[in-house]
Amino acid sequence: MDFKGRDVIAIHDFSTKEIMRILDVAREMVPAARGDETLLLLPGKVMASFFFETSTRTRLSFEAAMKRLDGKTVGFSDIQSTSAKKGETLADTVRMAEAYSDCMVIRHYNEGAARLAAKFSSKPVINAGDGAGQHPTQTLLDLFTIREEMGDIKGNRVVLAGDLKYGRTVHSLAYALSMFGVPMCFVSPPTLEMPSEFVASVKDRGVDVVESHNLAEAVEDADVLYMTRIQKERFPDSSEYEKIAGSHRVNMELLSGAKKGMIIMHPLPRVDEIDPEVDERQNAVYFKQAFNGVPVRMALLSLVLGAKG
Ligand code: NCD
């Protein structure tokens, strides 16, 4: 396994063996991610953090990950403050990242932007979300969370629910779970179903997949419920959003029909799709999941920058 210098654009850039290695390294990183230990793995290294689209968790956890390893960060979180605003091409912006840093983390509103960025950089490029495309590092922390909470990735039945059309986290996660042979149920409001190319690629792997519009029925035999928000900003017509908003909601009543051990995940931010009273439940793990972004991104940065093998 050789991670040094690699780009991370889509989850299937990795094999299942490589994914497990990243999750193992992430587990070693937990004490340092909490600040209970010091790990000086990336002294003098600089990560460029280029966020053309809003972010809270992904950006902050990447920056925290780099700093916990004694590295540094440069970058922007607001396109208004950059030359992209003056009409600079992505290719030229990427060339600057290459000149000023050792790796680049990019979030962009266009699908395919990270893949394009990687073409113009000889240094590792990590996709932190490209439009409605993929979000591979979120998937790594989702898999880490499932493994830590359930003991294994395999052997679970996973419900992916919410906006499966525009939600990039569920695109990458469905793909990854299919690599591990995990049976899934895709639950969405009508019109926001999982795009057919993702359904086809998951089914091609021989994985048992059910598509549904009924969340209450789907949670009955689930071990993991992965809820997502409706991606309002990606709707071409906002009246279409208004029709669907609030149609799927996780509350105590819905959970009364679920298995006791079922964990509830969410990449966050949530809007109204999980009732705050659910937060008190022991197996509502979405805030732990958000923390897991730090050790998982520490693992990834140390591997692609060659501080770990
Ligand atoms: C997600 C994203 O940006 O795709 N957030 C995240 O990175 N944790 C999910 C979302 O915005 O709904």
Side-chain angles (χ1 to χ4, degrees):
M1 267 184 263
D2 194 6
F3 290 95
K4 192 173 174 189
R6 296 251 307 254
D7 298 317
V8 182
I9 308 298
I11 194 65
H12 46 275
D13 293 344
F14 294 120
S15 66
T16 51
K17 257 196 168 155
E18 287 173 332
I19 291 175
M20 292 315 268
R21 172 70 187 143
I22 299 167
L23 304 193
D24 287 343
V25 176
R27 190 181 275 164
E28 288 170 31
M29 299 288 175
V30 170
R34 287 206 186 102
D36 293 340
E37 227 174 56
T38 307
L39 264 186
L40 307 178
L41 282 178
L42 298 176
K45 295 285 183 198
V46 177
M47 177 191 92
S49 163
F50 283 10
F51 280 71
F52 293 88
E53 202 184 55
T54 54
S55 172
T56 303
R57 274 148 293 270
T58 305
R59 184 172 65 82
L60 294 181
S61 63
F62 259 116
E63 289 180 6
M66 196 62 190
K67 289 177 178 167
R68 290 289 195 200
L69 295 168
D70 205 29
K72 300 202 165 30
T73 67
V74 293
F76 56 85
S77 56
D78 180 6
I79 183 176
Q80 301 298 330
S81 64
T82 71
S83 286
K85 199 65 203 154
K86 298 181 186 166
E88 183 169 63
T89 62
L90 181 62
D92 285 0
T93 308
V94 169
R95 288 185 178 107
M96 293 307 100
E98 189 185 25
Y100 301 153
S101 64
D102 302 292
C103 68
M104 173 187 190
V105 174
I106 179 170
R107 167 168 288 190
H108 202 279
Y109 44 83
N110 281 338
E111 210 169 315
R115 179 85 59 205
L116 185 75
K119 276 200 188 149
F120 294 100
S121 175
S122 59
K123 308 223 172 116
V125 171
I126 302 177
N127 180 8
D130 61 328
Q134 287 225 16
H135 196 345
T137 66
Q138 176 72 40
T139 295
L140 291 168
L141 77 92
D142 294 340
L143 295 173
F144 182 78
T145 304
I146 295 174
R147 193 174 73 158
E148 296 305 298
E149 298 297 321
M150 307 302 281
D152 201 351
I153 296 169
K154 294 183 181 157
N156 296 299
R157 185 168 188 86
V158 179
V159 171
L160 301 183
D163 186 345
L164 306 185
K165 180 176 180 183
Y166 296 117
R168 54 195 171 201
T169 64
V170 281
H171 296 163
S172 302
L173 185 57
Y175 203 96
L177 291 171
S178 76
M179 291 164 72
F180 288 93
V182 171
M184 284 173 268
C185 182
F186 297 156
V187 187
S188 69
T191 74
L192 293 184
E193 285 92 357
M194 183 68 84
S196 53
E197 68 266 26
F198 283 100
V199 179
S201 66
V202 166
K203 284 190 175 162
D204 277 354
R205 291 174 174 271
V207 173
D208 167 19
V209 178
V210 179
E211 291 187 87
S212 161
H213 296 130
N214 187 333
L215 186 57
E217 209 174 86
V219 297
E220 280 171 15
D221 60 351
D223 302 294
V224 176
L225 167 60
Y226 190 95
M227 196 66 201
T228 61
R229 108 189 134 86
I230 309 289
Q231 309 277 301
K232 185 178 182 182
E233 69 277 25
R234 303 202 198 286
F235 276 63
D237 176 355
S238 63
S239 69
E240 289 302 309
Y241 169 78
E242 300 306 332
K243 281 187 210 156
I244 287 160
S247 57
H248 278 166
R249 202 170 156 83
V250 178
N251 53 25
M252 288 309 197
E253 193 194 331
L254 181 105
L255 294 174
S256 66
K259 286 190 200 171
K260 261 208 152 49
M262 182 189 79
I263 58 166
I264 306 151
M265 297 174 66
H266 193 305
L268 303 175
R270 71 172 144 181
V271 183
D272 56 3
E273 60 281 356
I274 299 184
D275 200 315
E277 66 179 359
V278 173
D279 300 358
E280 303 310 316
R281 271 183 71 124
Q282 204 192 334
N283 27 19
V285 300
Y286 27 90
F287 295 118
K288 265 199 225 173
Q289 183 186 350
F291 164 75
N292 289 340
V294 181
V296 168
R297 290 176 171 123
M298 286 169 79
L300 203 57
L301 289 166
S302 345
L303 287 163
V304 299
L305 290 173
K308 278 268 180 190

